[in-house]
Amino acid sequence: MTNFYSEHSRYFVSVDCIVFGFDEGKLKLLIGRRQMDPGRGEWSLYGGFVREEESLEDAAHRTLQELTGLKKMYLKQVGAFGAIDRDPGERVISVAYCALINVKDYNRHLQEKHGVEWVAINELPPLYSDHNKMVQKAINMLRKRLGTEPLSFNLLPSLFTLTQLQQVYEAILDEPNDKRNFRKRMKSLDFIEKTELVDKQSSKRGAALYRFKKKAEV
């Protein structure tokens, strides 16, 4: 560190990770009990402080990899949160990042190690500080992007039915979609392609399995 800007106050900078997953037909969020003061024991997002040698994005990737063990995932910055009194401990400015992962890819041992669990969005408890605001802003961002980006690719297995795809959209938008119109719209967006495989668990006749085109992955 240099002596430049020594006349100015220094603040802490952190990243908070808003990790969404899709399971049992619901959009879920990964949260845990805070393990440090202030706010020990309160429900919280998982986060950490930015290290001196890190960029914001590097810090977010490191924090997410520590939490999930996954290296490649959808990651977008949601925004900065810097209310003066947002953290009762010190002046902390936090930059929130949104991540989307397939719940089945998440190592259960890491989940237990970090003491986190998946909670449905519509069942969230009050979260530490301004974390509920972060989550709502992230959901609003996903809803705006959903119509133009294949975000659901990150929440589904490599092969999926159109019913599963529609369930993801409905979970994010929190509203039902007409089945016929939804399927017509998805095919027109050119995000997905039909395979020769059939899922026989969902119905007696079986449902066609689809996959996302590689050029559409985000």
Side-chain angles (χ1 to χ4, degrees):
M1 297 292 287
T2 69
N3 291 322
F4 295 117
Y5 314 124
S6 58
E7 70 274 21
H8 298 287
S9 300
R10 297 181 186 272
Y11 306 112
F12 292 96
V13 179
S14 68
V15 292
D16 281 299
C17 299
I18 307 164
V19 184
F20 291 115
F22 180 74
D23 190 37
E24 300 175 335
K26 297 179 179 180
L27 183 66
K28 296 187 176 182
L29 180 70
L30 200 58
I31 59 174
R33 296 285 186 179
R34 191 169 163 86
Q35 299 177 13
M36 60 186 294
D37 293 320
R40 185 183 297 271
E42 293 183 33
W43 287 106
S44 171
L45 297 172
Y46 190 86
F49 289 100
V50 179
R51 295 172 180 172
E52 187 174 332
E53 72 281 4
E54 289 180 321
S55 67
L56 285 170
E57 192 164 317
D58 287 341
H61 278 292
R62 171 182 56 80
T63 302
L64 279 168
Q65 189 173 347
E66 290 174 356
L67 175 63
T68 66
L70 303 174
K71 293 183 178 180
K72 289 186 177 182
M73 66 185 78
Y74 175 91
L75 180 67
K76 295 289 183 183
Q77 188 180 120
V78 174
F81 296 79
I84 296 174
D85 58 349
R86 65 171 301 275
D87 191 306
E90 293 284 354
R91 180 74 196 278
V92 181
I93 297 170
S94 182
V95 181
Y97 282 84
C98 172
L100 305 177
I101 69 173
N102 184 344
V103 172
K104 300 294 189 298
D105 291 339
Y106 187 25
N107 187 306
R108 186 165 292 276
H109 294 299
L110 280 176
Q111 183 176 339
E112 294 174 355
K113 174 183 176 181
H114 293 293
V116 292
E117 57 186 85
W118 292 105
V119 178
I121 290 299
N122 58 2
E123 299 172 2
L124 283 181
L127 302 177
Y128 175 75
S129 184
D130 50 7
H131 289 188
N132 284 97
K133 292 181 180 179
M134 293 181 181
V135 173
Q136 189 56 57
K137 188 170 182 179
I139 292 174
N140 292 341
M141 182 188 76
L142 291 182
R143 288 173 177 168
K144 290 179 181 178
R145 290 174 174 264
L146 196 58
T148 57
E149 297 179 25
L151 302 183
S152 47
F153 164 78
N154 304 275
L155 299 169
L156 289 168
S158 56
L159 295 173
F160 53 87
T161 66
L162 288 179
T163 296
Q164 290 174 310
L165 181 61
Q166 183 173 341
Q167 288 174 342
V168 170
Y169 272 71
E170 291 178 337
I172 294 175
L173 296 172
D174 194 26
E175 62 183 21
N177 275 263
D178 176 77
K179 182 177 180 179
R180 181 178 298 179
N181 290 338
F182 174 80
R183 296 188 175 203
K184 183 178 180 180
R185 187 169 76 254
M186 286 300 102
K187 292 175 182 178
S188 70
L189 290 175
D190 200 32
F191 287 162
I192 62 177
E193 59 187 6
K194 189 176 181 180
T195 71
E196 297 179 354
L197 302 174
V198 175
D199 174 25
K200 295 184 178 180
Q201 296 181 347
S202 58
S203 67
K204 292 182 179 180
R205 294 178 58 188
L209 286 168
Y210 288 75
R211 65 187 171 205
F212 282 94
K213 296 180 179 179
K214 286 191 175 181
K215 65 179 182 179
E217 295 177 12
V218 296

